[in-house]
């Protein structure tokens, strides 16, 4: 590792598992001090102990809890360099069968959580005159799938929100980008027999991503290597949304 995040103060939401955990681990390996924030206290504390992070239990869908997370981090470390708004949830159902509860949960966590986190971090970063925000969207935002209407909608909204924020905050020294992962084998993938083989097969690159491959994209956006990148949606999906396969292939 090359100390690309040396002494940076980083918050990662949804870091009890999957991409959030991989991001937190990579940030620490690159020299950062990381606060992981998640609704799952037991898993979050276990991960924090294992990787050397601090843990705060937060429901990102509750604005006061997100504000307190950011305020507590700044009180503890004196500043906030990077905010990764990554927590997300999914329910896969045909649109006509989507319940009000599932709709509310996805909109509140996937879109609301990113908005609350961007707003809270943005306030601090504007005051500081520097900072980077990386929001997790999905390749389902730019290329939606059947059975994921609301999920895809929230992810497209995350990209639009982040681009608008990037334009607003660029003159204040704050960069805002999104990462749009393709399929990763995480807690979000249902535990169904044969699913791994099926998901591997439908990726042009031949296998579903490991969270660490996605975290590398987050690191690029968050680090100084990406210091001229803002308002960008970095799609990391093994070619899944690049176009159609040739007929018969
Ligand atoms: N896995 C995929 O194929 C895939 C593809 C594209 C995008 N994504 C996105 O990547 C992000 C990370 O997902 P993942 O694949 O690592 O899934 P995951 O289920 O492994 O991790 C999601 C984490 O978010 C936490 N969380 C859920 N609701 C929360 C809340 N209200 N407040 C705080 N934390 C909450 C969970 O406890 C969990 O630790 C999500 O935004 C997801 O939409 C995932």
């Amino acid at each position: 590792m090359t100390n690309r995040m040396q002494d940076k103060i980083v918050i990662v939401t949804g870091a009890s598992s999957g991409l959030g955990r991989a991001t937190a681990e990579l940030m620490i390996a690159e020299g950062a001090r990381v606060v992981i924030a998640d609704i799952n206290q037991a898993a979050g504390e276990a991960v924090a102990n294992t990787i050397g992070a601090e843990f705060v239990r937060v429901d990102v869908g509750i604005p006061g809890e997100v504000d307190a997370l950011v305020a507590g981090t700044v009180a503890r470390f004196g500043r906030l360099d990077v905010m990764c708004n990554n927590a997300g949830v999914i329910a896969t159902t045909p649109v006509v069968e989507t319940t009000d509860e599932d709709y509310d949960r996805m909109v509140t966590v996937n879109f609301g959580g990113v908005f609350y986190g961007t707003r809270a971090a943005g306030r601090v970063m504007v005051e500081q005159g520097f900072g980077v925000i990386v929001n997790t969207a999905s390749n389902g935002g730019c290329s939606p799938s059947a059975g994921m209407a609301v999920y895809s909608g929230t992810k497209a909204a995350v990209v639009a929100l982040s681009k608008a924020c990037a334009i607003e905050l660029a003159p204040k020294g704050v960069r805002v980008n999104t990462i749009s992962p393709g399929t990763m084998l995480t807690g979000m993938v249902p535990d169904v027999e044969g699913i791994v083989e099926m998901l591997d097969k439908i990726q042009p690159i031949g296998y579903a991503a490991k969270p660490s491959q996605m975290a590398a994209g987050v690191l690029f956006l968050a680090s100084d290597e990406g210091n001229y990148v803002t308002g960008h949606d970095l799609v990391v999906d093994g070619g899944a949304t690049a176009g159609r396969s040739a007929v018969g292939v």
Side-chain angles (χ1 to χ4, degrees):
M1 295 297 164
T2 51
N3 298 329
R4 279 174 285 181
M5 299 302 291
Q6 194 61 44
D7 299 325
K8 300 284 187 193
I9 309 303
V10 178
I11 295 175
V12 185
T13 71
S16 291
S17 75
L19 173 56
R21 177 184 175 150
T23 299
E25 285 190 84
L26 184 55
M27 294 287 178
I28 289 169
E30 292 285 348
R33 305 185 71 174
V34 174
V35 176
I36 66 178
D38 203 287
I39 200 167
N40 186 334
Q41 179 146 7
E45 285 176 349
V47 169
N49 288 337
T50 304
I51 70 174
E54 302 204 1
F55 173 74
V56 180
R57 191 210 168 270
V58 175
D59 181 343
V60 300
I62 300 179
E65 293 195 11
V66 178
D67 289 346
L69 164 70
V70 170
T73 302
V74 174
R76 164 113 172 76
F77 294 106
R79 64 179 197 281
L80 176 62
D81 295 295
V82 176
M83 179 80 182
C84 298
N85 294 300
N86 167 77
V89 291
I90 193 168
T92 49
T93 45
V95 64
V96 294
E97 292 168 21
T98 302
T99 63
D100 292 349
E101 289 73 23
D102 281 343
Y103 166 81
D104 283 343
R105 201 165 59 95
M106 285 187 275
V107 170
T108 302
V109 176
N110 296 0
F111 184 66
V114 170
F115 166 64
Y116 302 138
T118 300
R119 183 177 61 180
R123 285 173 176 157
V124 167
M125 290 173 178
V126 165
E127 187 77 16
Q128 295 174 161
F130 61 84
V132 186
I133 299 170
V134 182
N135 294 329
T136 303
S138 167
N139 69 349
C142 61
S143 181
S145 303
M148 297 190 194
V150 175
Y151 178 81
S152 303
T154 62
K155 294 303 189 173
V158 164
V159 174
L161 170 81
S162 304
K163 289 188 177 191
C165 294
I167 297 162
E168 250 185 64
L169 299 180
K172 318 271 185 197
V174 180
R175 296 190 292 110
V176 186
N177 292 290
T178 47
I179 184 146
S180 277
T183 304
M184 294 178 284
L185 299 176
T186 66
M188 201 166 262
V189 172
D191 186 14
V192 177
E193 200 186 332
I195 188 107
V196 173
E197 294 72 17
M198 191 273 282
L199 290 175
D200 281 350
K201 219 162 111 186
I202 61 173
Q203 312 306 321
I205 214 164
Y207 63 96
K210 296 178 186 65
S212 59
Q213 293 175 295
M214 218 56 62
V218 177
L219 175 65
F220 168 70
L221 295 171
S223 73
D224 282 347
E225 288 182 342
N227 64 11
Y228 201 67
V229 182
T230 197
H232 183 63
D233 179 35
L234 180 61
V235 179
V236 182
D237 71 353
T241 54
R244 293 194 168 87
S245 300
V247 174
V249 175

